[in-house]
Amino acid sequence: MRTPPRIYIAGHRGMVGSAIVRQLLAQGHPAERIVTRTHAELDLTDQAAVRTFFEVEKPDQVYLAAAKVGGIYANNTYPAEFIYSNLMVEANVIDTAFRHGVQKLLFLGSGCIYPKLAQQPMREEALLTGPLEATNEPYAIAKIAGIKLCESYNRQYGASHGVDYRSVMPTNLYGPGDNYHPENSHVIPALIRRFHEAKINNAPSIAIWGSGTPKREFLYVDDMAAACVRVMNLDKAIYDQHTQPMLSHINVSCGHDITIRELAEAIGKAVDYQGEITFDPSKPDGTPRRLMDSSRLNTLGWHAKIGLEQGLQLAYADFQKTALSSIEGKNTP
Ligand SMILES: NC(=O)c1ccc[n+]([C@@H]2O[C@H](COP(=O)([O-])OP(=O)(O)OC[C@H]3O[C@@H](n4cnc5c(N)ncnc54)[C@H](OP(=O)(O)O)[C@@H]3O)[C@@H](O)[C@H]2O)c1
């Protein structure tokens, strides 16, 4: 029997990285063939440390789910940290993986790589067709660089060294292990926390910024992890058939969106908040719609399995179980 590959999950304590570990274990991958390091043990911006790690651990495959991640506030307040850290992590991990003979690597990008005014739903072809959203432009530029790193190593070393580095672009994710920090979190964990606090404080109402009309889509993180493992393991001929050498990334999304009002109501239901939900249209709404087209991945056989109602219940259970004791401080830059 073939020995299972030795797989390095970069960012295994993050929301996505931990879901990839769960997914691999659930698919029967032996735990002893999964390699991990915490941020404290290995700073991926440190090139020498990354090289030593690959030298010692000799992984066969890499899932690159480590990144400096945050919401609008964090991206806007710490743009230098966002572009520097993400560029360094990607460049170090991808180049060092190549130098140590890793042929298979999956890079995780983000839907923010697409232009601010991209046609909806956003297809992979929209990449580099227009200006990006200003608030997270540095982060998005780093993510685009990650895709181009993978493509460039494939183009230069694919034939000679068997390099096969792939990229996936997830939509907004949520689920176990999310970041519930009051200022640095994304919309679902931020609202879960606010609704929970409103419930335990018996607050009669909760006010949401904006009109509630913008539409967004959300994917449960375990669905994302299943997509990652599927894309990593796709037969190369099939992958090549559905991608191009310089347009190789694959969107991962559930394919339908909801208004912020519908989202707030769904979170209120999951948290069992009985008060009133109000909206403050004097506050900015942001882009009216951000929906990704996942037909490329759907034709490759992946579909989201966990709907929003079930996903929010699971996320709230996780928040109650693990996050409440340690919500202070996570991802504080
Ligand atoms: N969450 C979403 O909605 C979403 C949406 C689209 C794309 N993505 C992408 O998915 C990937 C993972 O996101 P996530 O939500 O899982 O983020 P996360 O929960 O913040 O996890 C990221 C992990 O990376 C680690 N990390 C960051 N910088 C590092 C460094 N210099 N050295 C070593 N480890 C480092 C973090 O460790 P510390 O916490 O200890 O720093 C953390 O464990 C990212 O590439 C992100 O862009 C996420």
Side-chain angles (χ1 to χ4, degrees):
M1 211 175 75
R2 207 169 58 91
T3 313
R6 197 164 159 74
I7 302 179
Y8 170 42
I9 317 287
H12 75 289
R13 291 224 290 210
M15 178 170 67
V16 178
S18 57
I20 294 173
V21 173
R22 278 199 298 281
Q23 182 68 29
L24 288 169
L25 293 175
Q27 292 189 13
H29 193 85
E32 66 274 15
R33 302 291 289 170
I34 295 177
V35 183
T36 58
R37 288 289 187 283
T38 64
H39 190 164
E41 290 165 345
L42 174 63
D43 180 356
L44 295 169
T45 65
D46 179 342
Q47 188 183 54
V50 173
R51 288 187 173 177
T52 303
F53 164 74
F54 273 79
E55 182 72 46
V56 171
E57 291 294 350
K58 299 185 175 36
D60 303 305
Q61 290 186 7
V62 175
Y63 286 84
L64 181 38
K68 185 166 184 62
V69 177
I72 295 173
Y73 173 83
N75 269 275
N76 225 0
T77 313
Y78 310 103
E81 289 178 35
F82 273 82
I83 192 163
Y84 174 79
S85 296
N86 286 308
L87 284 172
M88 291 298 284
V89 167
E90 295 157 14
N92 284 339
V93 173
I94 292 170
D95 181 70
T96 308
F98 165 67
R99 287 171 189 275
H100 286 83
V102 174
Q103 293 183 321
K104 295 191 71 68
L105 177 146
L106 189 80
F107 169 68
L108 276 93
S110 158
C112 71
I113 59 160
Y114 293 117
K116 180 179 170 127
L117 301 177
Q119 195 183 343
Q120 303 293 312
M122 300 178 291
R123 295 177 57 83
E124 285 84 353
E125 289 78 1
L127 182 64
L128 295 175
T129 58
L132 299 162
E133 164 67 44
T135 43
N136 58 12
E137 187 195 67
Y139 176 76
I141 292 279
K143 290 294 180 188
I144 293 170
I147 299 172
K148 294 300 165 190
L149 272 163
C150 290
E151 291 178 352
S152 301
Y153 279 74
N154 290 343
R155 289 167 59 216
Q156 190 169 342
Y157 303 117
S160 58
H161 294 72
V163 167
D164 182 6
Y165 295 172
R166 303 175 180 183
S167 304
V168 282
M169 300 301 120
T171 185
N172 306 304
L173 304 171
Y174 70 100
D178 215 335
N179 166 21
Y180 297 96
H181 190 277
E183 283 158 358
N184 297 328
S185 54
H186 292 126
V187 57
I188 287 187
L191 288 181
I192 285 179
R193 180 179 173 148
R194 285 193 60 207
F195 273 90
H196 174 82
E197 287 173 354
K199 181 174 92 167
I200 54 170
N201 293 327
N202 290 317
S205 67
I206 184 165
I208 311 284
W209 270 35
S211 65
T213 57
K215 297 185 89 175
R216 296 287 183 272
E217 65 172 332
F218 303 95
L219 183 68
Y220 191 70
V221 69
D222 288 60
D223 276 335
M224 171 62 193
C228 288
V229 175
R230 175 173 283 264
V231 171
M232 174 71 106
N233 293 326
L234 270 180
D235 183 78
K236 179 152 173 22
I238 295 174
Y239 180 78
D240 288 349
Q241 214 182 339
H242 288 83
T243 58
Q244 295 163 35
M246 293 179 73
L247 191 70
S248 67
H249 59 287
I250 295 182
N251 288 345
V252 186
S253 77
C254 64
H256 57 85
D257 50 5
I258 60 168
T259 64
I260 295 297
R261 176 182 293 275
E262 289 166 331
L263 176 69
E265 287 166 358
I267 292 175
K269 195 170 157 204
V271 173
D272 192 25
Y273 172 67
Q274 302 290 335
E276 189 190 0
I277 304 172
T278 63
F279 292 85
D280 179 358
S282 70
K283 295 288 194 307
D285 259 345
T287 317
R289 195 175 189 213
R290 291 291 278 181
L291 178 64
M292 286 167 68
D293 182 321
S294 62
S295 46
R296 191 180 255 191
L297 185 55
N298 297 149
T299 54
L300 292 167
W302 174 91
H303 295 272
K305 289 192 176 136
I306 299 165
L308 190 70
E309 191 176 335
Q310 184 192 0
L312 288 176
Q313 281 167 3
L314 293 167
Y316 183 51
D318 174 70
F319 171 82
Q320 288 178 294
K321 191 171 65 171
T322 61
L324 274 176
S325 56
S326 60
I327 44 184
E328 296 305 329
K330 188 181 179 222
N331 269 16
T332 308

